[in-house]
Amino acid sequence: MALWMQISQQLPHLTNQTLNELYPDTFPIDVRHYLANWIEEQRWEDFDLDNAEQEPLARRLLDQMLELLHEVAFHNPNVVERVKLQHISRNMSVFQTQPMQLVRTVRDILRKERHLLGQPQMQPFQQIPAQINGTTQPPREASNHDVDALVLKVLDIQTCRQQIHQLQEELNWEKQEAEPMQGQNELDATHPDQVTKQNRITQLDYNYQVCAKKRVQLLQEAVCSLEQCQTRLIQRIKSWRWEQLRSTIGLAFDDNLVPLQTWCEQLLGVNSNLRQEVMLVKRDHGSAEHFHQLEENLNRLLQTLIQSSLVVEKQPPQVIKTQSKFSSSVRYLLGEKMAPGKPVVLKAQIITESQARNLGQGVIPTENVGELINSTAILEHNTASKSTCATFRNMSIRKIKRADRKGSESVTEEKFALLFTAEITITGCESPYIVQMISLPVVVIVHGSQENNAMATIIWDCAFSEPNRIPFVVPERVPWSQMCEALSSKFMSEVQTSRGLNGYNLHCLAQKIFDKDISGDFNNMPVSWAQFNKEVLPGRNFTFWQWFEGVIDLTKKCLKAYWSEGLIFGFIGKQHLHVILQNKPSGTFLLRFSDSEIGGITIAYVGPSESGGRKIQNIQPFTKKDLDSAGLGDRIRDISCISHVYPDLPKDEVFKKFYTVLSPPHPDGYLPFKLTTVVDPTQDQPFQISAPLPGGPFSPSYPVDPTVPQMYPPFYGENMDFIYHQ
């Protein structure tokens, strides 16, 4: 099947014309796909197409091909594919009158495939297996090939069993026929008929022994292949869970479970067929030790498959407040194979980190660490989606029992999980199986003020934990390069923007978290959990994460469009600010996130100094509350001392679409009004004033009183000593 594995990677890059020429209507690509292994094992090149004596052999290959197609269709869980394969099988009967034409067709296809792979232009399209944290992941297409190969192995075993049965019947018949002849000719051992019969019996017995040996060998190979395929399946399920965990920080995640469910169901079917074949071989050849070992291996694989097929499709929120409702859903990938009858009830309970670790050693939690209400749900099958799920719609944690904390550890650093448990019986299995799965780690809080710190714990866990870890171990320090990836991904995901953090932004963040000027390559500098969210920033009363999360929240709610269009410089330190603005004319400004206030954005601009030079000034930050009353675009329009956004774009061109359109007079006679932001550098007096809009029938003829109480102090931040003289 190696040839098909290579050519299938090139299919997306081939034109429709090439595909139609390669796979004619009489031999569709579906046949090439499903019977890839069998096709490549046959010796098509040995045929002499002009030799009529080889026609019976060609017809035998055609019969085998049609039989395999029927079997593949029968085992295919996809109804559409099943009907399609049956239709293809009927159409291929055209080769019944010309079996050598089938040989010619298949041989030409294989030759063309090899020729295509040899073309230089096909080399760049060779696929590289995907990796997750250094672990190579099997392509999803590979799983189909693995299962197809397994199905064909089972068919080979069944064919071999049928041949043995036929040989046994022939052998019994020949022995029965030979008994009278032996009585009549026992004095003449050289009697021709007796010699012929004896040779026939000897040959049949030899063929029987060969087939019996082959049958056992095929069984051993099939069980070994099943174990390898199932190992890849379980690794893929773990990878799905890992990707689900990483999606918390905004990384891509394909939540489609249909391919994994199909894979699980197919392997369950193969396991069932192989267990049946082992039972039959024990009946025919006795309970030898190696048969018993095969049976044990299959039972072990069956148990592992059944217990690995429970997944938390919709995770509970990873920060849960007591006395509040939340939901979750759990899916069983072998739901269609569950024994009918008694409903399967899934139970949820909350467990500690130490209890989650003990689960891996087979220890069932007995201590109740939290009171969880509405903690049971029935596994229900949805015929439309072919999924079997238990949905917990109104769960709530009434109370929680805290563990003894170490040192300065706070309650927002304590991780729990939900453990889902059910007793499931699979059709064809005598005993039920206990199936369990835990959720992603959760932090339980009792007050909304704890949410920010709890989310920091979750972000650190999801961003920096290793695959297949012991629950819920995380490193104490990580390289800055990993922190960069996590911060940028989380920012983009929360704001719902395609614009991430650039090098300037990340350099500024590094200087902030390390509290020092940084130059050169600092990607491998370690960042500790304490620096992330335990130690407050120098001169502030908040941590790095609390400040960064405030920026995310402000951008998400008030500044998404500005950020996405690149109008906000964002994270920039004071020194870098001086460097890029020092040669700019007065009125040049940029938008930066506040250093001293959580969730604030400020305008830094070049203005005149008292000595006639220029200096950089910072207007007091606007918070969400400020921007809710008047948007950032309107405030930029109103401030007369700024004219060009960095580097040199006129503000009225760039921000015009964000300006609020003036409202017409109200029909009841009231004058509409607007809030206007005023910054007067000469008087150090910024104003936010309310004034009637011009143009209405009741507009006053007098000027607006400039003595309206000010809402902001004049300028924000430290005194900027950097003054530029003209």
Side-chain angles (χ1 to χ4, degrees):
M1 196 166 64
L3 178 60
W4 176 247
M5 288 288 288
Q6 295 179 62
I7 202 69
S8 61
Q9 295 176 6
Q10 316 302 331
L11 294 179
H13 311 293
L14 300 178
T15 64
N16 289 336
Q17 180 180 354
T18 302
L19 288 173
N20 292 334
E21 292 175 354
L22 189 56
Y23 305 106
D25 293 338
T26 54
F27 198 92
I29 192 173
D30 307 73
V31 181
R32 181 67 179 96
H33 166 68
Y34 284 107
L35 304 187
N37 191 54
W38 180 85
I39 288 173
E40 293 178 31
E41 286 179 349
Q42 309 311 311
R43 304 177 67 173
W44 306 99
E45 295 290 345
D46 290 352
F47 276 86
D48 180 1
L49 298 179
D50 297 325
N51 187 352
E53 294 181 357
Q54 292 186 340
E55 191 168 302
L57 180 57
R59 181 169 282 105
R60 193 175 305 126
L61 287 176
L62 173 61
D63 292 340
Q64 290 179 18
M65 182 178 290
L66 294 177
E67 182 181 352
L68 289 173
L69 274 178
H70 282 299
E71 289 291 339
V72 171
F74 178 77
H75 288 91
N76 197 314
N78 188 312
V79 177
V80 176
E81 284 293 307
R82 188 186 311 153
V83 173
K84 184 179 180 182
L85 287 171
Q86 291 170 349
H87 182 70
I88 290 172
S89 179
R90 287 193 296 270
N91 288 345
M92 289 189 68
S93 60
V94 68
F95 291 116
Q96 290 286 2
T97 56
Q98 295 179 310
M100 295 298 280
Q101 185 61 35
L102 170 69
V103 175
R104 185 191 305 275
T105 301
V106 177
R107 187 190 65 181
D108 290 348
I109 288 174
L110 296 177
R111 288 177 177 178
K112 290 176 182 177
E113 288 178 349
R114 295 188 190 97
H115 177 72
L116 271 175
L117 290 176
Q119 298 297 312
Q121 62 268 28
M122 299 302 291
Q123 301 304 317
F125 300 125
Q126 297 295 326
Q127 289 187 349
I128 300 174
Q131 289 194 343
I132 296 178
N133 263 36
T135 303
T136 301
Q137 304 301 311
R140 293 194 176 180
E141 295 80 3
S143 68
N144 297 331
H145 298 313
D146 290 344
V147 175
D148 293 343
L150 269 174
V151 170
L152 293 177
K153 286 181 183 294
V154 173
L155 292 176
D156 288 342
I157 295 170
Q158 293 171 343
T159 301
C160 190
R161 169 168 52 81
Q162 293 166 1
Q163 290 174 349
I164 289 174
H165 182 70
Q166 183 177 351
L167 286 170
Q168 183 66 63
E169 288 183 341
E170 292 182 17
L171 190 59
N172 292 341
W173 175 259
E174 292 294 341
K175 286 181 177 179
Q176 181 179 336
E177 288 289 308
E179 286 178 0
M181 189 177 296
Q182 287 177 348
Q184 297 172 7
N185 303 289
E186 56 185 358
L187 298 178
D188 186 4
T190 61
H191 192 279
D193 290 342
Q194 185 174 349
V195 172
T196 301
K197 282 287 183 184
Q198 191 59 45
N199 290 341
R200 172 68 174 162
I201 291 172
T202 302
Q203 184 63 45
L204 286 172
D205 187 63
Y206 174 78
N207 293 343
Y208 177 88
Q209 297 299 329
V210 169
C211 278
K213 185 177 180 181
K214 180 183 178 182
R215 181 185 183 186
V216 174
Q217 182 180 352
L218 288 173
L219 263 174
Q220 292 171 333
E221 291 175 356
V223 173
C224 182
S225 297
L226 174 62
E227 184 165 12
Q228 294 172 354
C229 187
Q230 184 168 306
T231 299
R232 286 190 286 272
L233 165 64
I234 293 174
Q235 179 59 44
R236 184 68 195 104
I237 293 175
K238 290 180 179 179
S239 298
W240 186 92
R241 293 180 184 135
W242 169 250
E243 293 165 14
Q244 186 186 46
L245 171 73
R246 299 277 285 171
S247 68
T248 302
I249 60 169
L251 297 184
F253 170 52
D254 181 4
D255 61 355
N256 181 19
L257 283 168
V258 173
L260 291 178
Q261 177 171 314
T262 302
W263 198 350
C264 286
E265 292 170 348
Q266 290 173 329
L267 291 193
L268 181 66
V270 170
N271 190 296
S272 176
N273 289 334
L274 288 177
R275 283 186 290 122
Q276 183 179 8
E277 292 300 323
V278 170
M279 289 173 58
L280 292 173
V281 80
K282 286 172 65 177
R283 180 200 66 184
D284 296 339
H285 303 288
S287 299
E289 178 61 29
H290 54 278
F291 297 150
H292 181 67
Q293 185 64 46
L294 285 176
E295 198 169 39
E296 282 190 348
N297 289 345
L298 286 171
N299 289 334
R300 173 179 53 81
L301 290 173
L302 176 65
Q303 179 177 349
T304 302
L305 179 62
I306 291 173
Q307 294 180 332
S308 301
S309 298
L310 192 68
V311 294
V312 184
E313 185 171 28
K314 179 191 173 187
Q315 292 286 342
Q318 289 190 263
V319 176
I320 302 175
K321 184 175 177 291
T322 56
Q323 309 295 334
S324 62
K325 293 181 181 180
F326 62 92
S327 63
S328 180
S329 65
V330 181
R331 180 166 173 172
Y332 191 54
L333 301 180
L334 291 174
E336 288 194 323
K337 308 300 180 181
M338 292 193 309
K342 184 180 178 181
V344 176
V345 178
L346 203 67
K347 299 178 182 179
Q349 69 180 103
I350 191 161
I351 60 174
T352 65
E353 183 173 339
S354 61
Q355 288 176 325
R357 292 178 186 176
N358 292 335
L359 280 175
Q361 302 171 2
V363 179
I364 305 297
T366 55
E367 182 184 3
N368 189 4
V369 298
E371 185 178 346
L372 192 64
I373 62 175
N374 297 324
S375 58
T376 60
I378 295 176
L379 273 174
E380 297 178 308
H381 184 67
N382 185 318
T383 53
S385 63
K386 294 187 177 181
S387 61
T388 303
C389 298
T391 303
F392 299 82
R393 293 182 175 84
N394 295 296
M395 278 197 291
S396 178
I397 299 176
R398 182 169 292 172
K399 59 183 179 180
I400 192 72
K401 180 181 178 181
R402 301 287 183 182
D404 294 333
R405 290 183 291 279
K406 303 174 184 178
S408 61
E409 187 179 44
S410 69
V411 295
T412 57
E413 296 176 67
E414 186 177 4
K415 287 178 273 191
F416 297 87
L418 294 186
L419 172 64
F420 299 96
T421 307
E423 188 176 87
I424 294 176
T425 302
I426 297 295
T427 302
C429 300
E430 297 178 358
S431 304
Y433 292 86
I434 301 296
V435 180
Q436 295 181 324
M437 180 49 58
I438 62 172
S439 70
L440 298 181
V442 302
V443 175
V444 180
I445 61 175
V446 297
H447 194 276
S449 61
Q450 298 172 316
E451 184 173 0
N452 189 286
N453 290 329
M455 183 52 68
T457 299
I458 294 301
I459 294 298
W460 188 274
D461 184 277
C462 296
F464 308 126
S465 58
E466 295 292 331
N468 304 317
R469 62 171 171 174
I470 298 172
F472 295 109
V473 175
V474 290
E476 182 62 28
R477 298 175 182 273
V478 296
W480 171 248
S481 57
Q482 288 187 31
M483 177 64 74
C484 287
E485 178 190 3
L487 294 177
S488 188
S489 296
K490 185 63 177 175
F491 188 94
M492 293 170 66
S493 172
E494 288 293 322
V495 178
Q496 292 294 296
T497 178
S498 59
R499 181 191 171 207
L501 305 182
N502 60 26
Y504 292 121
N505 297 152
L506 294 172
H507 187 268
C508 172
L509 293 176
Q511 288 184 319
K512 180 173 284 291
I513 202 168
F514 292 122
D515 187 30
K516 61 181 179 181
D517 293 336
I518 294 177
S519 60
D521 184 8
F522 51 90
N523 283 330
N524 293 323
M525 286 183 64
V527 182
S528 69
W529 161 248
Q531 289 172 306
F532 183 67
N533 195 54
K534 283 188 75 71
E535 301 168 352
V536 296
L537 294 172
R540 312 297 182 199
N541 61 353
F542 46 79
T543 66
F544 175 86
W545 166 254
Q546 290 168 349
W547 170 79
F548 185 77
E549 197 276 336
V551 170
I552 291 178
D553 189 64
L554 176 71
T555 309
K556 174 172 61 176
K557 294 177 179 176
C558 303
L559 306 173
K560 176 182 176 180
Y562 299 91
W563 173 268
S564 297
E565 295 190 20
L567 302 179
I568 298 176
F569 202 99
F571 304 98
I572 179 173
K574 297 287 180 61
Q575 288 184 336
H576 187 207
L577 181 67
H578 290 164
V579 170
I580 67 173
L581 290 182
Q582 62 181 339
N583 295 321
K584 294 297 178 181
S586 293
T588 303
F589 71 98
L590 58 77
L591 299 168
R592 56 181 289 267
F593 296 122
S594 170
D595 284 320
S596 62
E597 185 162 350
I598 293 179
I601 187 168
T602 185
I603 299 175
Y605 73 99
V606 180
S609 67
E610 296 80 0
S611 61
R614 290 174 297 163
K615 64 180 179 180
I616 297 175
Q617 305 200 77
N618 288 268
I619 299 174
Q620 177 165 327
F622 301 113
T623 63
K624 178 182 179 299
K625 181 179 179 181
D626 302 324
L627 297 178
D628 284 343
S629 62
L632 181 62
D634 288 341
R635 293 183 181 276
I636 290 173
R637 176 193 59 195
D638 295 340
I639 300 174
S640 59
C641 57
I642 59 175
S643 58
H644 289 73
V645 66
Y646 178 84
D648 56 2
L649 303 175
K651 72 174 185 180
D652 288 335
E653 292 182 10
V654 176
F655 291 94
K656 183 177 181 179
K657 62 180 171 182
F658 298 107
Y659 295 168
T660 300
V661 179
L662 300 180
S663 304
H666 202 276
D668 60 9
Y670 286 108
L671 289 176
F673 72 93
K674 69 170 183 175
L675 298 177
T676 302
T677 304
V678 178
V679 174
D680 187 351
T682 61
Q683 299 181 12
D684 287 351
Q685 293 289 329
F687 295 94
Q688 178 166 302
I689 60 176
S690 299
L693 294 177
F698 298 96
S699 296
S701 58
Y702 51 84
V704 176
D705 184 358
T707 62
V708 176
Q710 67 183 48
M711 298 188 66
Y712 301 110
F715 297 106
Y716 153 70
E718 301 84 349
N719 182 28
M720 306 297 288
D721 296 325
F722 202 100
I723 299 178
Y724 309 97
H725 296 281
Q726 294 179 333

